[in-house]
Structures are given as C-alpha cells and as structure tokens.
Amino acid sequence: MNLKSTSHFTAMQFVLACIVATLLFLPAAYAQEDVEFRGFIENATFVRTHGVGLTKSRTTLQLELSKAWNPSGLFSEFSFSGTFRGSYDAVYDFNDTTFGKNSGRSVHFPAPGNPSFFSFLVDGNPFNPPPFPPSVDPVYAGIFPPPIANGAIPLPGTGGNISSGNPNEGLGLLGEDVHNFENGGVVLAYPTRPCNIDSRGCIDGYMDDTLSDLRYQEFNGRWDFLRELYVDAAIPFDSGSELGFRIGRQQVVWGRTDLFRVLDVINPVDFSRHNIYDELEDIRIPMGIFNMEYRLGAKGPFEDLNFQGIYKFENFRPNELGQGGEPYAILGAGNFFRAMKNCWDNGCTVWNFPVTGVAVEFPTQSLGIRQANMSDAKDSHDWGFRMEGVIKGVGFSLNYLRYTSQMPSLRGGIDSDNPFTPGVESQFHPYALAFDIDFPRLSMVGASADFYLESVKSAFRVEVAYTSGEEFPNTLEERLFSESNVVRWVIGIDRPTFIPFLNKNRAFLLSLQVFGQHLLDHELQRINAQGIPTLSNVGMVDWKNNYIATFLFQGNYMNDRLTPQILTAWDFKAGSGTIAPSVDWKINNNWRLTAVINFKVGDGALAFDDNRAANPYPPFTCAPPLAAAGSPICGVPYSSLGASGFEPIGRFRSGPIGMAINEDEYQLTLRYRF
Amino acid sequence: MKQGILKIVIIGMVGLSQTVAADSFTDEDINKSFYPYNDWTPTADGYTPGMVIDQSNADQFQAILDEAMFRFVKDGWVTLRTAPTTDFPLSEDYVEATRQYAGDVSLAENGTLNNFVAGRAYPQEPNPDDPQAGQKLVWNYQYGFNSGDSETIYPFWWTFRNVKTGKVERQLKFEWHFLNFNHRVTFDPKPAYEENPGAIYRGIYGIVKEPFDLANTQILIHRYQDDTKRDNAWLYVGFQRRVRRLAAGQITDAFLGSDLMIEDFEGYNGKVTDYTWEYAGTRNLLLPFYYHNDMELADVPEKDPDGYKFIDVEGQGNCFPKVTYQLRKSFTLVGKPKDPNHPIGKRVINLDSQTMTMASLVTYDRKGDMWKWFPIGKAHSDHHLPVNEGKGVALDDYAVVIDVQANHCTTLQFKSQVTDDVNQPNLFSVQNLRKVGR
C-alpha cells in the first residue's frame, strides 16, 4: 500500500536510527565477535488451471545478517540482526491481460426483467409498456438516458446517468472465478487494473497498490524491504535469571500450531503472496516491537519459567488480503471491497437487484464502501504478555493480547444517499449496504501446551484462545454487523512412524491438526428482526461452529535431500478441501527445487442472505407482495427477508479454500542459497 | 521385642531381594580399571606397534580388529597405521569419586542403579560368570566421563558421502553442547545442580549453522535421572519460528538425514532399560586412540580462525580418519533391543576398558546382517587444544558411521572443548531455543 502520511512512521524511523547509532558508536571495549551472513535467491513460478495461466513468476533476493558482540558491563549479550528482502513478480508483465495493466474487460449480462421493472419505477405499474424497447443485452455501467434502450436501469438517485468516470472496461465480475451466477444472486463488477492505471475502487491507505507496488512488493512506503531489523540484549542477574530485550522490527510468534493462527496474531500476515499456503515465516509482516522477557530458568516446580511483555510501537498494519485484480485475494475479499468502493465513488450497476433478471444502476454514495478508517487504527498500539514454561515435562503458555484486529470489519450505518430519490440526502438508512471499513480493538486470552505420550509415541500440542470485540456481518442488525466473542482452538498430533516397505531407515512424519472456531454470540434465524418469516437463514454469515482438519504425510529419502509429502486440509462446514502433493529436492548445499501441485475439491461457493430483500429505503424497497397487500411495514425500514446468493458475503461461508475452488495450480520454485 | 526384631530382619531381607547387592572393590580394581597400562601392555601375535595393517596381512590380525574393521581392511577400503599403546588417564576427580561412591551402588531389579552419585559405578573387572556383567558395563558407559561434566563441540562438521564414489552430498555444520546436571566431578557445583526440578541428568543442545536451509535449527534433549523415563526433546525449526515438541520415542529415526540414528549419539543414546545387555568378553583391539596434534591434520572442511586443524579423511569414499590405531584392552558389550519392532537386531559395542567410552560400534539388522559401523576417534586431552589440557577426558575427535548396506557414510569432525564457560543450565532450556532462534 502507498504511504499517504509520514507521521505514523516516526516511531519506526526513530528506532531504526537508534539501531544504526548503536552500531556506529558502540564502545571500543566491546570486542567484535563473529558476523553471520547468508541469503538466497529464488524464482517461484506458479500456473493456474481454468484458463488463468501464470499467477506468479516471482524472483526474490533475501539477505540475513547478524552480528554479535561480547559486551562488558551491564549486558551479557548484545547482537544485531537484519533480514532484507526484495522481489519482482513478473506476472504483472508476463500475464498482464489477466493481472496487470491490460487486465479486465467489458462485462455484459442479460436483464430480461428490466422492461417491466422500469415501467414499475416510472408509474408504479409493471404491466404498462416501458417507455423504451425491451433490452436484450444491457451494457454494464453504460450511459442510460431515455429513450436509449441499452444499459441498466438508473435508479432515480442517479439523475438518469451513471458517472462517466466508470466506463465499461478493465472489469471482472465478482466471484466469476468461483461460480457461474447460477443461483440468481446479485452480481457486481470490480476494476482489475493496478491503481495507478485505474484508480476506481482503490481504497486510500488500505488497498491502493500501483503496478510498481505489485511488481516490487517490498519496496513501499513502509520499507518492507527492511524485513526484520532488531537488536538483542540481555542483562544477567546473580540469581541466574536474565532480562532479555529484542527491540526493532521483528516477528513474535506465539502458539504451537501449523497453518492456523490461534495465538499467533501479533504480526499481521500478507495473504496476497500465496493465500494461506506459504510458510508463516515468509508471510508474517514484521513489526516494530519492544519485546522483553524475564527468563528465570528452573524455578520451584518449573523446569523452565519465563515472562514476556510486548509492546508494538510501529503503527498498525492490517493483513494484506490482496486487492481486486491480484492473483491471490483471499476469500475474494479484495475483489469485493474494490467493487463496493467503486460503487460508492462512481456508482455502479448491480445485476439481479432487486430481483433476479433486473439490472439497476446505483448512484454514487448510496451503495458500497466509503473508506477504510486507517487513521483510527494507525495510532493504536498493541500490547500483551505471556507466561511460558515447562512443568513436569509439559510445555505451557498463558497469553494475553490487546490488539487491533488485522482483519477488516464492514460497519454499516454510515450516512448515505437514498438511490430512489433525486438529490443528496446523506443520512443514516438502517439496513443500507453502505459501509466503512474499520479495524476493531480486540482482547485475546489464551493458553497452549505440548507434551509427549510414550504409549502412542506421539507429541501433542493444544492451543486455545478466547477473543472479545470481533465483529461479523449480521443482516439482522441495522448497521449490518455485530460483535461476538469467539473461541478458537487447535489440537495437533505429530507421530514419526516407520513404514518399512516405503523406507527402512527413516520415519515418516504423520501430523494431524483439528481446528475449531466458535462464535459465542452467533445469530441465525428464519425470521427477520421485525418478526417476518424469511426465505432463508438471516443473521451472521460466519458459521457458529466450524472445524478444519489438516493432515501432513511427509517422508525423507536420500539422506533427507529428497522430501516428498502430501498436505491435505478440509473445511467441514464449507465442504471444501485442498490436496497438495509436493517434492522438495535439495540438489546440493546450495540448490533446492520444490514442485507442488495444489488441488481444491468440494462445494466451492456457498450462498447466504445478500440483503436484497431488506427495506432500507421505504417504501421503494418494500417487497412486492407486501407492497401489493398495502402492508404498513412498507413504510418503515426492516431487515432482510432472506433472498440469498453467492455474492456478496457467501464468501465468508465458503472460507479461504472454498473461494479458491478453481485455483488448482502447478508450482515450481528454484532456490540458490549462500 | 523378638517378634519386632524378626519383622525388621524379614523386611530387610525382602528389601534386599529387590536389588542386586553392591559389589565391593579394592585398590587393585581401581588401578586395573583406570590405569591398566601402568605395568602392562597389550600384545598380539605378530603385531608390532608402528606396523601397517592392510589388505595383505588383514587375515593375520583379524583377532585384533573388530568385525567391521576387519571387513574394510580386507576389502582394501582402508590401511591402518598403528602406534604404541598410550595411557589415557581420566580426571583424578572422577577416579576419586569412584573410590568414594562406587561401594554403595547396586542394581535394581528393573536394571537401574541405586545410590549412584558419581564416578564409575563398577570399577571391578567384569566377571563372565556374572549374569549382570553386561548391565554393569553399560552403566559404566552411561555414566562415563565421555565428555566430562560439560563439553562444547564447535565447529562440528557432518559430511554425507557416497562410499563408492566419495562424492560429498551434503555437509552440515553444528554447534553442540553437553551438560551433566548431576554426577558431576570436575566443575562446580559438585556433584549436582541444586535447582533441577525436572531431575534432568544430562542436557544435549545442538544448533545447525550450515547449510542455509537448516541454519538455526536447534535441538534440545533432556535425559532424566530416572532411566525408565523417556527423554524429552524439542526442535526449533527456523522457517516455522517456533519450538516443536518431538516424539522422542522415535529415536531409531535417522537424524537430519545422516547415517546416525538419534539412538546412536555418543555410541548409545537410549535408555539402558530399553535393551538387554550381555558382556561378551575382553579383547585387545586396535582402536582409534591418538594424540590429535601429532596426526596428519587438514584445514578441511573449513579453515578455523583459531588455527585449529581437523582430522583429515582417507580411504574408500574418504570415510576413514587419517589417524593411528593402538592396541587397547576393550570389553565387548552386546545389546539387544527389547522392542520387537526395533530395526536393529543387536549392537556390538567395544568399550575401551580404561576410559569406558565407546571406541567402536557395529550394528546388525533384524536379519543378522551387518548394517553400520561407528568408530569414535579419541584424542588425548593433553595433546589437543590448550583449554583441554589436564582435563582427563578422552575427547571425541573424529567419528564415522558407515552404512554398509546403503554404501553411504557420515563423517563427523570435531573441535571439542571441555569447558563450562557457556554450558550453564539455562542454555539447555526450551526458552533458550526461542531466544536464539529468529
């Protein structure tokens, strides 16, 4: 993302300056110890099926440097470490018609219901002939002044025209990579080109990457090429304990889980690199953190006992979800946000709204996302503490973290225009699809443990976290979101197992994990907020209880130089999973080749209440049967009556795997280490 | 009153029946155990120290070669250069601890030791008529002075080689640390650290320095005072940035792709009670005991900034050390795993009688075929780094594991230092893995 303001950077710059000054002006009495330097250069090339083609051709250079001193005086240890990374992803050049400056297209879809709907809008009688010939192939976001027939129906709030700054080019249809719109739900389009080529739908300070930002991901205003940069120091005490510090840009990893982040939430994550499939070490976003640990060692009944406090002084950063048009946009969220932001700024055509077969044009500032409130979040600083140790052979931790959610919340209830009336009203409309993106403040309490059971020759690890303050879309609420406390847990079992007919000398690693998530304040029902029966479930789209299981089967041959494995994951509620066989070949101490095939299977896209059948703009959006019956409820706002579709929020039911159902890929990575 | 006394006697007799009574020993036992070469030198027919044993005369000296060594020499894989037998005395602290504590030691019914504090548990010459002789010998080894109370090995190079072609397939550079939490005789605190709630006997900590893909990987093993308790082990994986609890029971797994099982570390790294042990006799064998500074050394794998040079390699596949071998008295110990699923059929350990260290190990698979050979070259601590002088430790200096079935070997080149400079209990903690890792 672009850096729009330097003010939030000041703390990080200060710390970096301190580190440099410390390195330059260390007392001469400090004898210099060894310097470690290593790095790698690699190319990762991924190709996707379903006609997409190249999705990644990223060349990365990473350097790691560490220098230790033998200090005298207060410190027993003092060292400096840095990791520098730069990359170039050529996909935006080699496949620029899919991702990049020439991506997207003009979009078209039929709207056979338009004539009667337009007639209804004109004089309330859908059976009168429309004042224009029936449209057969309306052009999205076209100009629609009567009596020209082509185009979607402009709602009265548009004043008859959609914004000319929103042409029908460089677009994709939301979710077209996952479903075929077969369920008649709403359809939106989103701009696909980098923000300096096409600024439509770009969200300032949040999802506003230029072509250069996408190509050279680390070279941005947050200096991400300085991936990690910190100093370590320790102050010993006569008791044998010590106070350790690590100050600077770093990763702080809590928890004992692979793939899932239950306690491991201190650093945000860049999902745009490769969804959930890259190692967390590579996709965590290091942050400027003051990390202090009091290490007691063996104390009382504890074989090991430590207390840690952390304070994140670098300003807030959210997870990178991938903006609209990127190859990896987890949940398709970036595409969705970009579509909605474009709607807000420029107006947009929505297909199958208010009913299937009709396409209407929304005016600006009525539907969509207004802004991401980064300024509220950027000045919040996370802090937490952890008690960790070993007792009777069981490793354990107790954790607390106060932090800003790295996942966005769509908060409705912002002032918006009524699209059915001309003029600018700018007021609160209950149940209106008009949002800001916010990042709520959360509190997390958690614990973890690991132990070994000889009877089953397996190592076990468990982790649990209780989080308060999280927000979820909720179509029962006037602002279309509500809070829920959440419990997440994971149980992992690792068992090295000999399978002699496959390998006499080396055990296979069998690793099973089960992850659970429970929304304690979940709401889901078949009547709306006003007690009217609904067509489908309404309320919170996220599952009340969901479970995901992963299983890894890994072997080693040729003295661990050849590592074949199969990684599988299954999202039970979403009904989708992934199977990823791979082979890792360490050709020699320097060269390494990794080949992966990543398949997705299952149900893919799932539908949910899309809020079409709510009544945010009474009486215009009152359900026809209620209007025909002259129901007085038409005159007041009411929550959704449960018309559903894949878009826009069915994605939260489908989950990251379900939304990537058609992202089968072949992946090859070649690395040279030095 | 008489009934009470009778009860006490009966209870005492019952108690005694649960253990094997402590063996008494004499000064002569001590001298023979720790100083066997004071007034005796091992001999063999036709053998003269300084001679070369190779393919041409291997048959003549089969009796003084372990089974694997004989096979390699006979096949022309290696030529042995011999040297006179020399004294490798252990630390006087260790010998004195033996005098002080060995008399109280006894074997429990489950094969563990009672009342062991420090020193050599059984300094007596093993008795072939003693069914417990093997068990006693293995405890001498387990609580031996292999690396003193505390040792650092850095750098420690492991090289994976193809025996047939000599091609170097992979090279790992480690830093290893060993610490005895109790049964200490040289470094303070003696005999044990007071604050040891986990009742750890020995800590092993290793960190991979190279290659890049494994760099910063760390392993921590806790061996407990209670031999029946399984080790706990943890692995810090750099690319995951966290500590993983290992299934420590799987110690028959190859470590990081080498030819060593975790159970092979230091010769035998498992629970004594996991095996049955048999004393299979005393033999004079040619063992790799030498003065490091007098050997043909090399700057490979890496030129050491302190000027230290490593034992060079030679022979088939460059799997063998360029060292001299001396004829030494050894006890042959045969261990058979109790687990029927264990891949090893038996371990034949040749213990050097003076140092009670594993001089060579030959393992056989379940079919009875020879599988691996694992000699450990021992350097006299007075002829090594200055820091080791006077420490009275037969330093691990070179080792190789040759898998004769896979035609593969892993050579281990050591820079060992017997020191407690950095080896304090906190180094062997789980938290230290996180502290060091990044």
Side-chain angles (χ1 to χ4, degrees):
Chain A
M1 68 189 75
N2 286 322
L3 175 64
K4 298 300 179 189
S5 164
T6 58
S7 61
H8 70 278
F9 217 20
T10 303
M12 191 60 210
Q13 289 174 318
F14 173 74
V15 170
L16 291 174
C18 286
I19 291 171
V20 172
T22 303
L23 296 174
L24 288 175
F25 299 111
L26 275 177
Y30 280 29
Q32 182 171 320
E33 290 277 319
D34 47 345
V35 175
E36 290 184 21
F37 176 79
R38 52 178 179 248
F40 67 83
I41 183 164
E42 77 171 16
N43 178 270
T45 298
F46 298 177
V47 174
R48 189 176 295 171
T49 59
H50 292 86
V52 174
L54 191 71
T55 51
K56 187 181 297 294
S57 182
R58 186 184 66 212
T59 302
T60 303
L61 172 65
Q62 180 162 312
L63 305 173
E64 297 179 22
L65 175 70
S66 64
K67 185 173 180 177
W69 284 266
N70 221 14
S72 56
L74 181 65
F75 298 111
S76 61
E77 300 165 27
F78 194 90
S79 66
F80 151 81
S81 301
T83 300
F84 312 94
R85 185 171 82 184
S87 65
Y88 163 62
D89 195 337
V91 70
Y92 299 102
D93 296 304
F94 292 164
N95 195 6
D96 67 342
T97 53
T98 308
F99 312 106
K101 65 180 190 295
N102 296 316
S103 65
R105 66 191 191 280
S106 299
V107 295
H108 307 268
F109 37 78
N114 272 13
S116 57
F117 187 73
F118 192 63
S119 294
F120 171 75
L121 285 180
V122 168
D123 60 9
N125 185 348
F127 301 107
N128 280 340
F132 60 92
S135 67
V136 176
D137 188 17
V139 173
Y140 171 83
I143 296 175
F144 188 96
I148 295 175
N150 270 344
I153 300 171
L155 295 179
T158 65
N161 292 316
I162 196 119
S163 166
S164 60
N166 196 7
N168 189 3
E169 60 187 39
L171 300 170
L173 292 176
L174 196 63
E176 63 183 343
D177 55 339
V178 186
H179 55 78
N180 295 320
F181 316 108
E182 59 269 22
N183 71 346
V186 299
V187 179
L188 295 162
Y190 68 99
T192 63
R193 296 170 182 171
C195 290
N196 62 315
I197 309 295
D198 182 355
S199 64
R200 289 180 296 167
C202 296
I203 306 175
D204 279 352
Y206 183 44
M207 291 182 174
D208 56 3
D209 284 344
T210 65
L211 179 58
S212 184
D213 292 334
L214 296 173
R215 281 175 177 147
Y216 310 103
Q217 208 171 16
E218 289 81 10
F219 297 99
N220 55 32
R222 295 300 289 259
W223 293 9
D224 281 346
F225 62 91
L226 294 178
R227 186 155 170 76
E228 291 180 88
L229 197 68
Y230 55 83
V231 293
D232 277 315
I235 300 174
F237 298 108
D238 291 340
S239 61
S241 60
E242 68 176 14
L243 191 63
F245 302 91
R246 177 172 288 181
I247 304 170
R249 185 172 272 184
Q250 60 188 280
Q251 300 183 39
V252 178
V253 181
W254 284 359
R256 302 164 199 268
T257 313
D258 301 327
L259 194 66
F260 302 112
R261 300 196 330 135
V262 175
L263 295 176
D264 180 15
V265 293
I266 294 174
N267 292 89
V269 168
D270 182 359
F271 292 110
S272 71
R273 274 179 75 86
H274 186 204
N275 204 307
I276 59 175
Y277 304 105
D278 272 4
E279 286 295 340
L280 281 169
E281 184 200 34
D282 293 327
I283 63 173
R284 279 193 206 92
I285 301 173
M287 298 288 289
I289 296 173
F290 181 89
N291 181 355
M292 184 174 73
E293 291 183 344
Y294 183 47
R295 306 177 188 120
L296 286 85
K299 183 65 68 179
F302 298 98
E303 295 158 47
D304 196 6
L305 184 62
N306 311 280
F307 295 92
Q308 178 188 36
I310 64 117
Y311 177 76
K312 198 188 293 181
F313 56 82
E314 187 172 355
N315 284 338
F316 168 75
R317 290 186 70 169
N319 291 332
E320 289 275 358
L321 303 181
Q323 72 184 24
E326 281 195 60
Y328 299 97
I330 189 169
L331 290 176
N335 301 342
F336 168 46
F337 292 167
R338 193 162 183 185
M340 294 288 276
K341 179 68 168 123
N342 185 40
C343 283
W344 181 269
D345 290 340
N346 300 308
C348 64
T349 305
V350 180
W351 184 29
N352 292 334
F353 182 95
V355 295
T356 302
V358 175
V360 301
E361 312 254 327
F362 276 81
T364 63
Q365 301 187 21
S366 64
L367 165 73
I369 291 173
R370 179 175 62 178
Q371 63 192 17
N373 292 321
M374 305 305 292
S375 58
D376 291 345
K378 76 173 176 65
D379 291 325
S380 65
H381 296 278
D382 304 343
W383 58 272
F385 54 84
R386 174 177 69 172
M387 173 185 171
E388 184 152 37
V390 180
I391 184 166
K392 296 196 186 305
V394 176
F396 74 94
S397 76
L398 300 171
N399 307 65
Y400 175 80
L401 186 69
R402 178 79 176 146
Y403 68 112
T404 301
S405 171
Q406 296 140 6
M407 293 299 280
S409 173
L410 287 176
R411 288 180 177 172
I414 63 170
D415 289 345
S416 62
D417 278 356
N418 184 333
F420 291 90
T421 59
V424 177
E425 296 91 5
S426 191
Q427 65 187 61
F428 171 52
H429 297 282
Y431 312 109
L433 292 165
F435 304 97
D436 276 351
I437 290 176
D438 286 274
F439 300 90
R441 198 84 174 135
L442 310 178
S443 292
M444 186 269 288
V445 177
S448 69
D450 65 38
F451 54 92
Y452 172 72
L453 279 184
E454 173 72 11
S455 55
V456 291
K457 288 189 163 34
S458 299
F460 289 81
R461 42 202 167 83
V462 296
E463 207 169 307
V464 62
Y466 171 90
T467 308
S468 60
E470 289 192 48
E471 295 174 0
F472 299 89
N474 187 345
T475 57
L476 286 167
E477 295 291 323
E478 288 189 353
R479 296 185 65 193
L480 297 178
F481 78 96
S482 63
E483 267 192 32
S484 177
N485 295 328
V486 184
V487 171
R488 296 181 177 89
W489 55 266
V490 67
I491 297 174
I493 306 171
D494 299 325
R495 190 184 194 284
T497 304
F498 273 99
I499 305 174
F501 75 91
L502 288 178
N503 194 331
K504 187 184 80 166
N505 295 331
R506 193 74 165 90
F508 289 82
L509 174 63
L510 278 56
S511 179
L512 172 71
Q513 294 186 131
V514 179
F515 167 80
Q517 175 174 287
H518 309 277
L519 272 59
L520 303 183
D521 304 300
H522 194 262
E523 288 184 297
L524 193 70
Q525 56 196 45
R526 287 301 288 263
I527 57 172
N528 79 343
Q530 287 73 29
I532 304 171
T534 56
L535 298 169
S536 69
N537 282 326
V538 296
M540 283 183 167
V541 59
D542 288 79
W543 300 101
K544 179 179 182 181
N545 302 301
N546 194 15
Y547 306 93
I548 300 175
T550 67
F551 181 68
L552 171 70
F553 180 80
Q554 183 186 80
N556 279 287
Y557 294 88
M558 293 167 54
N559 300 99
D560 283 20
R561 289 178 292 122
L562 191 71
T563 303
Q565 72 175 39
I566 299 176
L567 174 65
T568 61
W570 184 259
D571 184 331
F572 286 88
K573 283 290 190 180
S576 296
T578 183
I579 304 168
S582 67
V583 173
D584 184 273
W585 178 27
K586 298 173 188 69
I587 303 166
N588 55 34
N589 266 11
N590 298 107
W591 290 97
R592 177 181 181 180
L593 183 68
T594 306
V596 181
I597 306 175
N598 191 316
F599 296 117
K600 280 62 164 197
V601 296
D603 296 338
L606 297 178
F608 193 73
D609 176 21
D610 56 22
N611 211 57
R612 272 181 296 174
N615 188 24
Y617 311 111
F620 304 101
T621 48
C622 187
L626 295 174
S631 170
I633 204 171
C634 284
V636 294
Y638 60 74
S639 72
S640 176
L641 297 181
S644 64
F646 294 133
E647 304 296 337
I649 59 173
R651 62 190 68 258
F652 299 115
R653 289 216 149 207
S654 308
I657 301 176
M659 287 302 295
I661 196 69
N662 290 324
E663 293 181 12
D664 296 341
E665 290 192 343
Y666 298 87
Q667 304 165 356
L668 201 65
T669 304
L670 180 65
R671 176 180 285 197
Y672 178 80
R673 303 158 294 185
F674 51 88
Chain B
M1 179 72 164
K2 283 187 181 174
Q3 283 181 339
I5 293 171
L6 187 60
K7 267 190 193 172
I8 291 169
V9 169
I10 291 170
I11 290 168
M13 289 174 65
V14 168
L16 276 175
S17 73
Q18 303 295 325
T19 67
V20 177
D23 295 359
S24 61
F25 62 91
T26 64
D27 282 343
E28 187 183 345
D29 291 326
I30 295 288
N31 288 335
K32 201 170 179 182
S33 184
F34 290 104
Y35 312 107
Y37 308 116
N38 275 3
D39 50 14
W40 171 79
T41 303
T43 58
D45 289 341
Y47 170 72
T48 305
M51 71 181 297
V52 170
I53 299 176
D54 58 20
Q55 212 171 10
S56 65
N57 58 1
D59 287 332
Q60 181 184 357
F61 299 104
Q62 183 176 2
I64 59 173
L65 302 174
D66 72 42
E67 289 70 27
M69 175 69 95
F70 171 70
R71 172 172 159 169
F72 298 140
V73 175
K74 185 105 168 102
D75 289 347
W77 281 20
V78 66
T79 295
L80 301 184
R81 293 178 293 280
T82 65
T85 304
T86 56
D87 190 26
F88 274 68
L90 296 183
S91 161
E92 270 303 315
D93 296 327
Y94 186 79
V95 179
E96 187 54 38
T98 303
R99 288 195 180 96
Q100 189 176 351
Y101 299 116
D104 297 327
V105 175
S106 61
L107 273 178
E109 194 166 306
N110 64 1
T112 60
L113 285 185
N114 295 322
N115 307 319
F116 177 75
V117 177
R120 183 167 290 172
Y122 291 97
Q124 306 86 344
E125 192 79 2
N127 183 350
D129 298 324
D130 178 2
Q132 302 293 335
Q135 196 76 13
K136 293 172 182 176
L137 269 179
V138 76
W139 279 115
N140 282 351
Y141 161 74
Q142 190 80 325
Y143 287 145
F145 205 57
N146 187 49
S147 51
D149 295 337
S150 164
E151 185 186 39
T152 296
I153 306 172
Y154 179 66
F156 190 9
W157 289 97
W158 294 25
T159 306
F160 303 172
R161 305 173 193 263
N162 182 308
V163 169
K164 285 188 173 174
T165 65
K167 181 186 171 201
V168 173
E169 295 160 340
R170 194 154 157 78
Q171 201 162 58
L172 277 59
K173 180 180 178 183
F174 288 98
E175 179 179 331
W176 284 88
H177 299 265
F178 303 85
L179 178 70
N180 287 350
F181 282 66
N182 41 34
H183 313 314
R184 298 165 60 87
V185 296
T186 303
F187 298 128
D188 288 326
K190 292 177 283 196
Y193 282 95
E194 278 188 21
E195 190 119 48
N196 185 7
I200 300 167
Y201 154 52
R202 185 169 172 81
I204 301 173
Y205 167 66
I207 178 170
V208 182
K209 297 293 196 177
E210 296 176 20
F212 181 81
D213 63 292
L214 288 177
N216 219 27
T217 300
Q218 303 167 71
I219 184 165
L220 174 68
I221 300 173
H222 284 172
R223 167 75 42 78
Y224 295 97
Q225 181 69 5
D226 177 2
D227 183 73
T228 62
K229 185 177 173 184
R230 178 64 64 196
D231 290 355
N232 273 319
W234 297 265
L235 192 73
Y236 178 88
V237 184
F239 67 85
Q240 292 184 338
R241 298 288 183 108
R242 65 177 183 85
V243 175
R244 289 191 79 103
R245 188 65 171 262
L246 289 183
Q250 205 58 272
I251 57 176
T252 56
D253 199 11
F255 182 64
L256 294 182
S258 71
D259 296 294
L260 279 89
M261 298 175 183
I262 294 169
E263 192 181 79
D264 290 331
F265 287 3
E266 300 185 276
Y268 178 67
N269 188 47
K271 298 193 297 182
V272 168
T273 47
D274 276 347
Y275 275 58
T276 60
W277 299 98
E278 177 192 341
Y279 165 58
T282 300
R283 317 188 263 177
N284 296 334
L285 291 176
L286 282 172
L287 302 177
F289 278 60
Y290 51 84
Y291 294 171
H292 175 99
N293 295 342
D294 295 347
M295 294 298 105
E296 201 172 324
L297 304 174
D299 282 329
V300 290
E302 162 185 89
K303 196 166 182 181
D304 188 80
D306 297 335
Y308 176 83
K309 292 179 184 288
F310 296 90
I311 294 294
D312 204 355
V313 292
E314 64 178 1
Q316 183 66 36
N318 276 330
C319 293
F320 297 86
K322 267 188 190 173
V323 299
T324 55
Y325 295 74
Q326 52 179 262
L327 196 62
R328 297 181 65 85
K329 177 182 173 185
S330 71
F331 301 130
T332 301
L333 184 61
V334 178
K336 294 181 182 174
K338 295 176 183 173
D339 179 0
N341 295 315
H342 199 293
I344 286 180
K346 65 179 178 184
R347 286 179 180 271
V348 179
I349 299 176
N350 295 301
L351 289 177
D352 177 70
S353 71
Q354 181 179 21
T355 60
M356 284 296 178
T357 56
M358 186 203 81
S360 77
L361 162 70
V362 184
T363 61
Y364 296 82
D365 64 18
R366 282 277 159 186
K367 293 186 297 183
D369 295 331
M370 185 183 295
W371 187 7
K372 297 183 185 179
W373 181 59
F374 183 14
I376 300 182
K378 295 291 192 177
H380 196 294
S381 57
D382 291 350
H383 301 270
H384 199 266
L385 291 166
V387 68
N388 294 323
E389 192 168 345
K391 292 291 182 0
V393 174
L395 295 164
D396 290 345
D397 199 50
Y398 179 91
V400 61
V401 179
I402 298 181
D403 185 330
V404 301
Q405 296 181 11
N407 281 314
H408 199 271
C409 80
T410 301
T411 60
L412 288 70
Q413 290 161 288
F414 299 62
K415 181 183 176 185
S416 299
Q417 300 179 64
V418 179
T419 172
D420 68 342
D421 283 354
V422 297
N423 292 347
Q424 298 300 315
N426 283 351
L427 184 70
F428 301 85
S429 67
V430 177
Q431 185 61 18
N432 182 66
L433 302 182
R434 295 189 190 94
K435 171 186 162 184
V436 171
R438 56 175 181 270

